[in-house]
Amino acid sequence: MRTVQPCTMIGAYGFEQDRVPGDEFQIRMNALREAMDRKGCKAMLVYGDTREHSALAYFTNFIPRSRWALALLPRQGEARLLVSMSSRDMPAQRLMTWIPEVVTAWNWESGFDPWLAGLGWDAPLTVGAVRFDLMRPAQLQAVEKSLGNRLRLIAADDAAAARPTRPRELSLIRDACTVVSAGAGAFLRAWRDGQGVETAALAGERAARALAAQDVRTLVSFDGGHTLAPFRGSFEPRSKSTPLFGYIAVKHRGYWAELFVGAADQPNDVQHRVQAGLEAALRSAGPGASAADLYAQSTQFLGRTPLHHVLGGSVGRRIGLSTNEGSELRRDARHVIKTGDVYALHVGASDPPMAGAVASAMVAITTNGCEVLAQSPG
Amino acid sequence: MSIQDASAQEASVEDARVEDASVEDASVEDASVEDARLATTAGDLQAAELDGLVALNYGLNSFLEPHAVFVLSGVRPIGESAVVVDRAGTSTLIVTPAWDAERAAALSRTATTIGTDDLARALADALTAHRIDPRKTITVGLSTLGVGLVKRIEAALGGKVHANDTYARELARIRAPRELAAARKATWIAERGYEHFLSFARPGRREFEVAAELHCFMKGLGAEDNFLLLSASQHNLAVRAAGSRILDVGDIILSEITPCYQGQFAQICRTTVIGDPSPLLHERFALLQQAMRCGQAAAVPGASVGAVTQSMDDCLAAAGYGDYCRPPYMRVRGHGLGITSDAPGDLTIDSDARLEDGMVFVMHPNQYLPETGYLMCGEPVVITAVGAEALSERPAALDCISV
């Protein structure tokens, strides 16, 4: 789900080696080096910003709290991380990555050029670029200027996109699911206790942040579930006739988990149908299942009621270091589900004047089906 | 202006909400802010013989940058967005994702609002609808987007077009009455938050727990966003985001509390000691307070930002800390505040920006000192004829948490 991007990430984030030790990054870097060899690259430059940093975090553990960072990862030699923050802030940035050399990107020539020179100039070089589509034009110009004519920059997004979910990643996603379940539960309880929808969402956020969530995003419906809205701050009292429809996503140790939250004093037909749709999705989700089939199975119970428009035509997608790791489950999707993937599944409908609803779950694809990691509280 | 200048606890939240009634009403009807800006933009387009202006935002809400779409429409969209203004003054807001259109339309001051999942295509359609020749168009904020989206938008515009990325910053550099009221409300939230922090932070709590409580408390008072840094050490090198450190006696807690209310960020910088501060710490903190007062006095309309910065540095230099008035011992002496306009920019001695009556920014002579570590002292200010008036009720002091 798209949510409003906050200006910074507030919660604690560091390089917790008991959870993601250095040898884990050696494995990830070895895979990246193999990709460099396949592509004939002397190095990979991996970019991430405060909004989207999945690849950057995967290889470096670093998440930019504001602005951006660029990892300089050579085939041979020392890695370096350039962070778009002041030199004053570098000691704190060094706590978030295994890369020993973390320098400010604000002195570009002294941060990037000496590292580049270390690659050697004996022959024309090719350097792979990951997520440069996110980079601001002026920054790209600075990179290209430093590379000059003797170095060739090639897109290498596939090197990062094809990565499998590592066992330790799944463990961390389980933790995130525990936190989002606690947040969603608090959200629902506050509403059932008579709180208005924004107060209830804030209760959910508070519960998740108390469990060390680094970021919490919520959306709520003020119109009975037809659409969602970000924080308004009006904290209106609960309307007895309006059902609850909301969304909560948490980021914990870098990994996202998300759930929709819904309830009504008098459950209606739409709510029953979306729940049946989710159950069908859970039965169908397994290795080798076609994404398009999964979409069809999930939506068959909706009848002529359209898929809820907040879902953007999809009943799910992979989730992890980003809320959207791709592989969306759409009517026209062509991929198949793979063992080890983690999906956020959402089946929803809106049928005015009846209330809208979405039932959701977080699942890990196993060898013979899927394991439910979290589910909308009921 | 030329358009072609291309350069805690629920109970305490309830208590605070009741007290809130004494604060100037920031929600006063003043829709004319965006209307006036749209009209000014149309006038600037006519004067420059241009067809249209396209303002863009990448779905980011930086507290250090203007949000050109918000400045012109009054809407903070969820995702990437644009505002199209033509020389007749007709305007269109384009928001992503498509499902956010209804909310955006209810808030927007533009004539039309469109929801889309393909910003570049919707922008091309809007330019056609407005009969705008892309060759006679100026963009604002295109350079803040990722190159992937920039390329798609340039393709929609038929190639590269002229840019004026400072337009929104200049257009909104003086806060309108409604915006100033919102900035005052944001400051009020920050101060209530800090009071709550003083009652909540104690030995045994972790930094992130305190930051989480502070964040949620201020959100309960209406803060839609918050640039919140909060960290502790016996000898800080700088302020940083909260970590897992368990607070204990003798820790000096630094906090940069920056709630956003109705698009107006306001920042207070505070230094808090757990236990009794040493006389030396009191003495050194007083230096920062003195520097703050010097900066406020110097910050009159027409003064250069460089001169104001120098006045603060001079206080520290006079005490023997001249060599520390540079990174990494400090960053800047203050800065503009998004998301409306970040004018006058960073407070550095190199800046020749001139202050104007009604500008709002944060002034903070935060400083690393070798004997005490990094200390923080700062307030949001508005420029008046007699200097920089703090929006906060109580200036920063060296506060302590009793143990």
Side-chain angles (χ1 to χ4, degrees):
Chain A
M1 285 294 295
R2 294 296 302 270
T3 52
V4 173
Q5 176 71 33
C7 63
T8 192
M9 187 174 78
I10 289 167
Y13 189 74
F15 178 28
E16 297 181 43
Q17 297 188 55
D18 55 334
R19 301 306 308 273
V20 193
D23 51 88
E24 174 73 17
F25 288 103
Q26 286 177 17
I27 293 169
R28 298 180 190 185
M29 286 301 300
N30 285 341
L32 190 65
R33 289 188 190 103
E34 287 172 11
M36 290 185 214
D37 291 343
R38 286 195 302 273
K39 292 174 178 292
C41 294
K42 277 271 194 175
M44 288 279 190
L45 309 181
V46 183
Y47 181 85
D49 61 24
T50 184
R51 196 176 67 162
E52 179 52 63
H53 41 250
S54 179
L56 178 71
Y58 182 80
F59 292 112
T60 69
N61 196 63
F62 188 84
I63 292 178
R65 290 180 179 274
S66 51
R67 305 192 190 90
W68 55 269
L70 180 67
L72 317 179
L73 306 172
R75 176 66 184 83
Q76 292 177 314
E78 294 299 316
R80 179 177 288 193
L81 185 67
L82 301 181
V83 182
S84 178
M85 291 189 80
S86 154
S87 60
R88 181 201 67 167
D89 302 311
M90 289 306 108
Q93 308 309 304
R94 291 185 185 111
L95 303 175
M96 295 195 283
T97 179
W98 59 268
I99 297 177
E101 205 169 8
V102 180
V103 299
T104 175
W106 290 2
N107 303 318
W108 179 256
E109 286 79 10
S110 63
F112 186 77
D113 293 354
W115 175 86
L116 188 64
L119 293 181
W121 296 86
D122 48 328
L125 300 180
T126 300
V127 175
V130 177
R131 295 317 310 263
F132 272 35
D133 58 310
L134 302 170
M135 191 179 272
R136 291 186 178 191
Q139 193 54 51
L140 180 59
Q141 286 168 10
V143 174
E144 290 175 337
K145 182 182 174 191
S146 291
L147 294 178
N149 293 329
R150 297 194 58 195
L151 293 109
R152 194 165 64 102
L153 196 64
I154 61 165
D157 295 303
D158 55 334
R163 63 183 194 264
T165 304
R166 300 272 311 144
R168 282 186 181 275
E169 289 191 282
L170 183 55
S171 298
L172 294 170
I173 293 172
R174 285 183 202 281
D175 291 350
C177 286
T178 300
V179 176
V180 80
S181 295
F187 193 158
L188 179 60
R189 279 194 303 278
W191 184 83
R192 285 193 168 142
D193 288 345
Q195 302 291 337
V197 66
E198 282 197 298
T199 305
L202 185 54
E205 176 170 352
R206 188 186 291 270
R209 287 194 182 276
L211 293 172
Q214 297 152 344
D215 195 351
V216 181
R217 312 283 179 89
T218 59
L219 296 165
V220 299
S221 178
F222 296 100
D223 60 7
H226 300 302
T227 192
L228 287 168
F231 180 77
R232 199 157 76 181
S234 55
F235 294 103
E236 289 162 9
R238 179 182 162 184
S239 162
K240 286 195 182 300
S241 59
T242 306
L244 172 66
F245 180 55
Y247 167 85
I248 183 167
V250 307
K251 183 187 224 175
H252 184 263
R253 290 198 172 98
Y255 287 84
W256 286 100
E258 62 178 5
L259 288 173
F260 280 83
V261 182
D265 291 335
Q266 299 282 324
N268 60 36
D269 182 50
V270 170
Q271 285 156 332
H272 291 305
R273 279 190 275 158
V274 302
Q275 188 59 40
L278 178 66
E279 287 164 12
L282 295 175
R283 286 192 299 273
S284 305
S290 136
D293 279 351
L294 186 53
Y295 176 94
Q297 294 290 328
S298 307
T299 54
Q300 65 176 320
F301 294 93
L302 303 183
R304 284 187 289 179
T305 309
L307 189 67
H308 204 299
H309 68 136
V310 302
L311 300 178
S314 157
V315 297
R317 71 200 117 70
R318 287 173 47 236
I319 187 169
L321 286 162
S322 167
T323 53
N324 189 350
E325 293 278 2
S327 306
E328 293 214 46
L329 305 173
R330 296 178 173 277
R331 186 195 306 271
D332 57 354
R334 294 174 178 231
H335 66 282
V336 296
I337 312 296
K338 291 186 293 186
T339 303
D341 284 348
V342 176
Y343 277 83
L345 301 176
H346 310 301
V347 183
S350 177
D351 189 14
M354 294 176 71
V358 178
S360 63
M362 293 275 302
V363 299
I365 306 303
T366 62
T367 52
N368 53 3
C370 74
E371 175 193 352
V372 178
L373 305 175
Q375 199 163 349
S376 295
Chain B
M1 175 177 49
S2 165
I3 201 168
Q4 291 179 308
D5 291 342
S7 37
Q9 309 332 329
E10 290 304 317
S12 8
V13 172
E14 289 304 321
D15 292 345
R17 282 187 194 149
V18 171
E19 193 186 336
D20 181 19
S22 64
V23 178
E24 188 177 347
D25 184 5
S27 63
V28 59
E29 282 300 318
D30 186 16
S32 60
V33 179
E34 289 82 18
D35 294 352
R37 287 178 185 154
L38 288 167
T40 299
T41 302
D44 289 340
L45 289 170
Q46 290 163 19
E49 298 184 344
L50 291 168
D51 276 3
L53 174 144
V54 177
L56 296 130
N57 179 270
Y58 202 26
L60 297 175
N61 298 285
S62 169
F63 87 117
L64 293 172
E65 291 181 344
H67 186 315
V69 170
F70 177 76
V71 164
L72 289 170
S73 69
V75 179
R76 197 167 77 135
I78 290 173
E80 301 85 359
S81 57
V83 168
V84 177
V85 187
D86 65 31
R87 61 192 300 176
T90 307
S91 54
T92 298
L93 169 66
I94 307 168
V95 300
T96 62
W99 57 261
D100 194 34
E102 195 176 320
R103 178 189 74 95
L107 296 170
S108 181
R109 299 302 303 172
T110 55
T112 308
T113 300
I114 296 168
T116 181
D117 292 320
D118 186 342
L119 181 63
R121 180 181 292 180
L123 187 54
D125 291 345
L127 291 178
T128 302
H130 281 267
R131 297 182 180 177
I132 290 173
D133 181 348
R135 292 168 300 182
K136 294 182 178 180
T137 300
I138 201 149
T139 62
V140 181
L142 185 65
S143 66
T144 64
L145 276 55
V147 291
L149 183 56
V150 168
K151 285 176 183 169
R152 293 201 298 278
I153 287 176
E154 285 179 344
L157 295 172
K160 289 189 183 298
V161 297
H162 294 293
N164 182 352
D165 286 329
T166 62
Y167 187 76
R169 178 194 214 204
E170 289 298 310
L171 186 66
R173 69 189 186 282
I174 307 299
R175 297 293 194 271
R178 186 188 74 193
E179 293 170 333
L180 182 57
R184 289 187 187 281
K185 175 71 178 281
T187 309
W188 179 88
I189 292 171
E191 291 197 277
R192 300 295 81 73
Y194 182 62
E195 289 168 2
H196 186 65
F197 156 82
L198 290 174
S199 68
F200 185 78
R202 67 185 65 138
R205 290 207 195 279
R206 291 183 186 271
E207 287 175 357
F208 77 78
E209 292 175 311
V210 177
E213 176 58 31
L214 180 53
H215 171 82
C216 291
F217 179 84
M218 289 188 281
K219 194 166 186 178
L221 297 179
E224 69 241 14
D225 202 350
N226 205 321
F227 185 86
L228 176 60
L229 301 180
L230 189 153
S231 57
S233 172
Q234 302 271 321
H235 189 94
N236 288 285
L237 298 178
V239 67
R240 54 175 171 73
S244 300
R245 180 190 177 98
I246 297 174
L247 301 177
D248 213 331
V249 176
D251 277 354
I252 299 171
I253 308 173
L254 303 177
S255 53
E256 194 166 276
I257 302 170
T258 321
C260 184
Y261 182 76
Q262 294 183 354
Q264 302 298 318
F265 279 99
Q267 182 172 90
I268 62 172
C269 301
R270 296 293 184 260
T271 303
T272 316
V273 184
I274 302 183
D276 296 323
S278 67
L280 178 71
L281 190 54
H282 274 295
E283 187 185 309
R284 294 297 183 272
F285 190 80
L287 264 180
L288 271 63
Q289 292 173 304
Q290 184 193 354
M292 181 72 198
R293 288 191 293 270
C294 286
Q296 286 182 267
V300 294
S304 80
V305 165
V308 172
T309 306
Q310 191 65 59
S311 72
M312 288 185 268
D313 284 359
D314 287 347
C315 290
L316 291 151
Y321 297 109
D323 287 345
Y324 289 87
C325 295
R326 61 183 172 83
Y329 307 112
M330 46 78 72
R331 193 178 78 80
V332 293
R333 296 298 182 207
H335 49 78
L337 293 162
I339 57 174
T340 308
S341 170
D342 63 337
D346 285 349
L347 271 62
T348 64
I349 54 172
D350 303 327
S351 172
D352 53 11
R354 295 279 166 182
L355 298 180
E356 294 179 62
D357 206 337
M359 276 184 171
V360 171
F361 56 93
V362 60
M363 182 180 286
H364 56 42
N366 302 331
Q367 181 67 52
Y368 174 85
L369 300 172
E371 302 90 345
T372 59
Y374 200 81
L375 303 175
M376 301 195 80
C377 169
E379 318 295 334
V381 298
V382 57
I383 297 303
T384 70
V386 294
E389 174 205 329
L391 301 183
S392 42
E393 296 163 1
R394 186 180 81 100
L398 185 62
D399 294 306
C400 60
I401 294 169
S402 299
V403 291

